[in-house]
Amino acid sequence: MERIRIGLVGIGKIARDQHVPALAASDDFDLIATASRHGRVDGIDGHDSIEAMLAARPEIEAVSLCTPPEGRFDQAMSVLRAGRHLMLEKPPSATVSEAQALAKIAEKAGVTLFATWHSREAAEVDAARDWLATRRIDAVRIRWKEDIRHWHPGQDWILAAGGFGVFDPGINALSIATRILPEPLTVLSATLSVPANRTSPIAARIAMRSGDAAVDADFDFLQTGEQSWDIEVDTDAGLLRLTHGGSRIALPGEPAAAGTNEEYPRLYRRLADLIRSGGSDVDLDPIQLVADAFLVAERRSVEAFDF
C-alpha cells in the first residue's frame, strides 16, 4: 500500500520522544519535513513555519501537530485550508469551541481530522473497557500524580493561561475514564490550586458521576518519588485496578497483566486508516470535562512555583 507523506510540526520533547520514533518505525508514513521555530530532526527537511513547509513540500499529504494548545488553532487552520489531513496531539486545542470549529472546517474541506488521546492506546485500556462493560460500577478513584519538573522541565507555558496546568497530564486520565466507563462522566464540583505567580492550576480535585457511581479525581503536578497514574473501579464483581498510565491491569481473581505499550504507533496506524477510509475522529469528551471543571471550580491560591 502506498505510504503517506507527512510533515511534523513542533519539534519539542513529545515530538522527539514519541512522534519521531513512531513515524520512523511506521509502515504507513514517510516523514519528509518538519516545521519548528526551535527544533530540527536530523536528516529531515526543516522549516520555520507550517506555511513555509507546505510551500516548499507541496507533496505533503498529512500534518501532525505537536505544538502547545495555546495558539494551535491558527496553525491547524493553515493545514486544513491547505487541504491536508491533520492529526492533533492532545489536548486538541485551547478551548472546546476551537476544536468544534476545526471539526466543521475539516468536514467541509473533505479531509481527515484526528484529535488524539494517546493514553487511550495504552496496553490494557481496551481490556479494562471490555471487562467493565457488563459490570455494575459502584465507585471510581483516579489518582494522577507526577513531577512537573521531571516531565515538563522549564515549560512555563504549561502553567500559563491556555496551558491547562495539571490538566495537561490529568486529561490523559480523563481520556481513559471516558473510554472505559460504560456511562458518561459529568462534573459536579472541583477545587483548583493555582500558584500565586501562575495562571493555571498545579493541583486539582474533581468530583464527578458516571451513572450512579461517584468518581473522584485527584491530580497533582508536585509528586516526587514514585509517580502515580492509576484508576481504581469498584464493581459488583470486585475491584479493577488500571495502573502505570493504563499499561497494567489487575482484575479480581486473576494475575496482574502488563501489555506492551505502543501508544503512538497505534495512533499513527489509526490515522492511516482514517485517511484511507475518508473518516475523522474528533472525540471532545475529555476536554469538555476539563472545561466544565474550570467552570464550576473553587480556586485556591497556593505557594508560588518556579522551575
Side-chain angles (χ1 to χ4, degrees), residues 171-281:
I171 205 170
N172 294 334
L174 296 175
S175 73
I176 293 175
T178 52
R179 173 60 62 90
I180 68 174
L181 295 175
E183 298 290 335
L185 278 165
T186 56
V187 175
L188 302 177
S189 63
T191 302
L192 308 183
S193 298
V194 182
N197 60 335
R198 304 287 179 170
T199 305
S200 289
I202 203 159
R205 292 292 296 265
I206 313 175
M208 296 176 283
R209 293 200 70 81
S210 176
D212 294 328
V215 181
D216 175 65
D218 185 2
F219 302 149
D220 188 359
F221 236 162
L222 295 175
Q223 176 86 348
T224 57
E226 185 177 356
Q227 309 287 276
S228 302
W229 301 293
D230 306 329
I231 298 176
E232 294 184 340
V233 185
D234 295 330
T235 79
D236 57 341
L239 174 67
L240 175 147
R241 297 190 72 246
L242 193 63
T243 64
H244 295 77
S247 65
R248 300 184 188 181
I249 192 171
L251 297 173
E254 299 182 18
T260 301
N261 255 349
E262 294 186 330
E263 293 180 9
Y264 283 83
R266 288 182 62 172
L267 288 178
Y268 278 103
R269 288 196 291 271
R270 173 66 173 153
L271 176 63
D273 290 343
L274 288 169
I275 290 172
R276 288 166 178 154
S277 67
S280 287
D281 184 348

Side-chain angles (χ1 to χ4, degrees), residues 1-12:
M1 189 173 295
E2 187 174 349
R3 294 166 69 89
I4 301 166
R5 292 159 292 191
I6 194 168
L8 185 62
V9 179
I11 309 303

Side-chain angles (χ1 to χ4, degrees), residues 26-97:
S26 175
D27 293 328
D28 297 301
F29 291 95
D30 283 326
L31 176 60
I32 65 170
T34 66
S36 178
R37 289 179 297 174
H38 308 295
R40 294 289 187 271
V41 175
D42 290 344
I44 303 296
D45 186 22
H47 303 271
D48 293 331
S49 69
I50 292 175
E51 292 78 11
M53 180 184 75
L54 294 177
R57 304 299 299 268
E59 70 271 30
I60 288 174
E61 300 165 89
V63 172
S64 182
L65 193 51
C66 306
T67 54
E70 181 69 13
R72 186 186 292 174
F73 180 76
D74 288 341
Q75 298 169 328
M77 285 291 293
S78 294
V79 175
L80 296 178
R81 285 170 175 162
R84 269 58 166 206
H85 307 294
L86 178 61
M87 173 167 148
L88 299 170
E89 175 61 68
K90 68 85 192 175
S93 55
T95 67
V96 177
S97 59

